[in-house]
Amino acid sequence: MDEGADHAGFMRMAIDLARKSAIEDQTGSPFGSVIVRDREVVGTGINAVIARRDPTAHGEVVAIRDACARLGTHDLTGCTVYTSSEPCPMCYAAAWWARIEVIYYASTIDDALEWGNFDDRPIYEAISQPAHERDVPAHELLRDEMLEVWRAFHAIPNRIHY
């Protein structure tokens, strides 16, 4: 943890984004996020699912996209996310893939369920099931053809991967 960082200040920014989006502008649900690197804000995001007609436009994902665009990279190593609510599975995974180092959240998934009727538990439960038993089942198809692509990718020297 960065002892000199203004954790409360950055979290208040995320909460203010949530408040502005949900209460003042009424453009989305109360989810706001701020991404910080070296004590500087490098990305911000609000829930824009309805406004953008994009189910992936959660506050954290929007902030990750903003930070990546501003920094000109897909790798957010060294960054911290401050978010108004505990990340859903998608947002946690996005932070993971972006190489976010720490996540701070102001409210829990229980709070989101109680006060906003947002229930992430079924998603967490589904992810723990075998792919074919999930609520949205996933089935393997044409694996051999895709393995040809994987083998060719694997054979590229100094390949870019992530």
Side-chain angles (χ1 to χ4, degrees):
M1 178 192 310
D2 184 352
E3 295 300 326
D6 182 10
H7 298 298
F10 294 130
M11 184 59 77
R12 285 188 182 99
M13 292 172 88
I15 292 169
D16 287 345
L17 287 168
R19 179 181 294 107
K20 182 169 178 26
S21 170
I23 297 169
E24 295 170 19
D25 297 343
Q26 295 187 1
T27 57
S29 300
F31 300 103
S33 296
V34 174
I35 298 180
V36 174
R37 176 185 277 169
D38 298 326
R39 302 179 190 171
E40 298 283 333
V41 174
V42 297
T44 62
I46 60 169
N47 179 285
V49 170
I50 303 302
R52 294 186 185 177
R53 294 173 177 80
D54 177 357
T56 69
H58 290 199
E60 297 93 335
V61 172
V62 172
I64 288 168
R65 291 172 181 162
D66 184 41
C68 289
R70 287 190 201 189
L71 295 173
T73 183
H74 63 281
D75 185 345
L76 298 181
T77 297
C79 290
T80 299
V81 172
Y82 297 86
T83 186
S84 60
S85 189
E86 186 175 0
C88 73
M90 177 185 69
C91 293
Y92 180 82
W96 175 295
W97 284 112
R99 305 302 192 253
I100 297 290
E101 294 189 0
V102 180
I103 299 170
Y104 291 95
Y105 57 90
S107 61
T108 67
I109 61 170
D110 293 328
D111 297 327
L113 175 59
E114 179 177 355
W115 300 103
N117 203 32
F118 292 94
D119 190 3
D120 294 337
R121 281 186 193 83
I123 302 168
Y124 284 109
E125 292 167 7
I127 289 171
S128 69
Q129 299 298 315
H132 66 281
E133 292 179 16
R134 296 176 183 162
D135 290 341
V136 179
H139 304 282
E140 184 181 299
L141 182 65
L142 299 178
R143 180 171 182 250
D144 290 339
E145 291 181 29
M146 186 58 210
L147 287 178
E148 291 176 22
V149 176
W150 276 116
R151 288 182 189 105
F153 174 75
H154 183 74
I156 297 171
N158 301 316
R159 68 185 175 274
I160 297 172
H161 67 286
Y162 209 74

